[in-house]
Amino acid sequence: MDVLDDILATLALKGALYFRTNLTAPWGVTVPDLKGAARFHLVVEGRLCVTVKGGPTLTLGAGDLILIPAGRSHILSCEPVGSAPPLETVLADAGYDGGGVLIAGGGDENATTQMICGHFTFRDGADHPLLRALPSHLLLSAATRAREPWLDEILRLLTRRIFDAGPGAGAAVTRLSEAAFVEMVRAGAAAAPEMAPIMSALSDKQVGRTLTLMHQRPDEIWTVERLATEAGMSRSRYAERFRSLTGMSPLAYLSEWRLQKALALLDNAQCSVQQAAAQTGYLSPAAFTRAFTAKFGASPSQYRRQRA
């Protein structure tokens, strides 16, 4: 099993394209907060200045990509600015109806910014050390892309598909954007030091083996001693190494992961609460309900009704 695949599938990664742009200087836009979303902007042509709330202004050129997790508000502009009109105002003034190219700005054709903008979302309640490790922004330059051939090729395909719309283009763009997110995360370990430990955990010979076992068989009764034996380490050394890479103890990780699997199972109307409890390692539906309610603020039955 590929643990990263399982994480993203269980958390219900979904990509969505906002629009592609043709913006002429001067221009600027404030992108609002959007809880639980990770937005991305890929510069195809021209220059883009990005100011993430509470952070410095970054300047991007053609081929550069920025990912802004956790739905943080940010300003996009042609030059560094302290404020800019809200996105809703820019869309309304441009008469943009959600299709084609967003055309806006002051009309200086010698200073044009073309980019592709979209976002990624996860299931409500999605949580994992990987998501918590994502920095306030992840900048992947054209030079980084040159060192990451899979990411570079996916972004090239994504750009070509968007600019050559036709039957099935929307579905193709969505799938390509999701594949791009996976490669952004892989490349991010080198670009963002805070991501390195959790990404190392996935490939670590000892910790990675036990992560695979927990993901493959979350219904089994795992103890630190048993996991340490599987890793070929002493209990104390294993627990210390696991925590150093994931930021939590092995059993805390397992408990969190079981509840994330439960969320995914409960999205299936054919899966009962009792079945979800059994498949995620709980000895009784009552124990499962208590843990689920403590984590998500609603019982499994309430969660299911809210989703419906």
Side-chain angles (χ1 to χ4, degrees):
M1 169 184 281
D2 185 310
V3 174
L4 181 57
D5 284 350
D6 190 42
I7 292 168
L8 296 178
T10 300
L11 301 185
L13 168 68
K14 286 186 172 58
L17 176 71
Y18 288 154
F19 40 64
R20 59 188 179 97
T21 72
N22 189 348
L23 304 171
T24 52
W27 66 272
V29 56
T30 297
V31 182
D33 290 317
L34 180 61
K35 182 181 177 182
R39 293 187 174 99
F40 71 90
H41 307 288
L42 171 61
V43 182
V44 178
E45 178 183 307
R47 186 170 95 146
L48 170 66
C49 293
V50 182
T51 307
V52 181
K53 186 165 59 177
T57 297
L58 307 168
T59 301
L60 283 66
D64 292 347
L65 168 73
I66 189 168
L67 176 71
I68 303 173
R72 294 179 179 88
S73 176
H74 52 282
I75 295 175
L76 306 177
S77 56
C78 58
E79 299 286 345
V81 294
S83 62
L87 176 61
E88 293 79 1
T89 300
V90 173
L91 295 178
D93 290 347
Y96 185 69
D97 61 3
V101 182
L102 170 62
I103 300 174
D108 184 353
E109 296 294 340
N110 294 317
T112 299
T113 301
Q114 294 188 24
M115 58 182 172
I116 297 167
C117 302
H119 75 206
F120 305 103
T121 57
F122 301 90
R123 174 182 288 104
D124 287 344
D127 189 22
H128 190 271
L130 176 65
L131 298 187
R132 298 196 290 268
L134 290 171
S136 62
H137 67 271
L138 185 59
L139 177 59
L140 299 169
S141 66
T144 301
R145 287 176 54 178
R147 296 191 297 271
E148 300 288 343
W150 282 105
L151 174 62
D152 185 61
E153 185 60 28
I154 290 169
L155 292 177
R156 289 178 186 277
L157 287 170
L158 179 63
T159 302
R160 289 202 297 270
R161 200 67 190 91
I162 289 173
F163 280 83
D164 185 23
V173 166
T174 296
R175 298 296 173 265
L176 285 168
S177 68
E178 291 167 1
F181 181 84
V182 176
E183 296 305 321
M184 288 180 216
V185 168
R186 292 186 189 279
E194 53 266 68
M195 291 184 65
I198 185 62
M199 294 303 294
S200 295
L202 302 181
S203 58
D204 185 86
K205 182 178 179 180
Q206 295 159 314
V207 170
R209 170 170 169 72
T210 61
L211 284 172
T212 298
L213 290 170
M214 285 188 270
H215 279 252
Q216 282 180 330
R217 307 192 315 250
D219 57 325
E220 289 197 21
I221 299 175
W222 294 105
T223 63
V224 177
E225 290 80 1
R226 185 181 173 196
L227 291 167
T229 298
E230 293 285 355
M233 303 174 71
S234 70
R235 183 187 188 281
S236 59
R237 285 186 59 230
Y238 168 71
E240 181 181 357
R241 179 156 183 77
F242 192 99
R243 183 182 291 276
S244 71
L245 294 179
T246 67
M248 58 200 314
S249 71
L251 295 189
Y253 180 95
L254 177 61
S255 296
E256 281 200 0
W257 183 246
R258 283 172 166 168
L259 291 172
Q260 291 301 320
K261 292 298 285 187
L263 283 179
L265 289 168
L266 291 171
D267 279 351
N268 179 358
Q270 303 304 312
C271 180
S272 68
V273 172
Q274 291 80 3
Q275 289 171 323
Q279 291 180 41
T280 52
Y282 287 88
L283 299 180
S284 72
F288 170 60
T289 296
R290 286 194 297 272
F292 190 97
T293 304
K295 173 69 174 177
F296 301 113
S299 70
S301 297
Q302 290 171 330
Y303 170 80
R304 177 164 273 171
R305 286 196 294 271
Q306 291 167 1
R307 294 285 289 177

